[in-house]
Amino acid sequence: MKKLLCSILVGLAALSVTGCDDDEVKTPDFAVSTAQWTFSQQEGMQRMIVSAPGAWTLTGIPDWMTVTPAEAAGPCEITMTYTTNETGAPRKATLTVTCGDETRTIGVEQETVVPESAAGKGRR
């Protein structure tokens, strides 16, 4: 399924490049669909698109997160899966996508649950 999505995205990118102007060869811009994510405390999953004109690699993945794929060539949808945050503090990381000499960063933060004893203080 992931290879199919990547193939479709690459095909669409190729069509958009060839469908515009025959005089100029255009390459896709290097970008990420979202540069900042805030996740809930519970485990979950988010998807985003990396658009790149060539091979790219994603680094800086924390141990509480899995990113698939972490590298590819050209535009591709990636899946970020994260575990429940039971640390008592927000978790933060900065992912870096590198394509050639260029980089893009993705800030990620995962919320934490406020303990019931702290949440109920001040209420009567």
Side-chain angles (χ1 to χ4, degrees):
M1 181 69 172
K2 292 175 191 167
K3 287 184 180 182
L4 177 63
L5 277 172
C6 286
S7 296
I8 291 170
L9 288 171
V10 169
L12 290 173
L15 284 174
S16 68
V17 169
T18 58
C20 295
D21 187 3
D22 291 336
D23 295 341
E24 291 183 38
V25 175
K26 297 180 182 180
T27 57
D29 290 332
F30 179 38
V32 294
S33 60
T34 305
Q36 183 67 41
W37 288 95
T38 301
F39 304 134
S40 69
Q41 182 265 341
Q42 298 299 318
E43 67 182 22
M45 182 264 303
Q46 290 289 342
R47 289 189 172 106
M48 65 177 287
I49 303 292
V50 173
S51 177
W56 56 267
T57 304
L58 192 144
T59 57
I61 304 166
D63 61 353
W64 48 272
M65 179 183 286
T66 303
V67 177
T68 307
E71 59 184 46
C76 191
E77 179 181 72
I78 65 170
T79 302
M80 298 181 292
T81 306
Y82 46 93
T83 60
T84 299
N85 183 0
E86 298 175 345
T87 65
R91 300 195 282 199
K92 296 181 182 186
T94 301
L95 309 178
T96 302
V97 184
T98 304
C99 180
D101 294 336
E102 294 185 65
T103 61
R104 302 292 182 267
T105 58
I106 305 161
V108 292
E109 182 172 350
Q110 187 179 24
E111 299 170 344
T112 188
V113 171
V114 177
E116 286 185 35
S117 59
K121 286 185 179 178
R123 292 188 198 174
R124 293 188 186 236

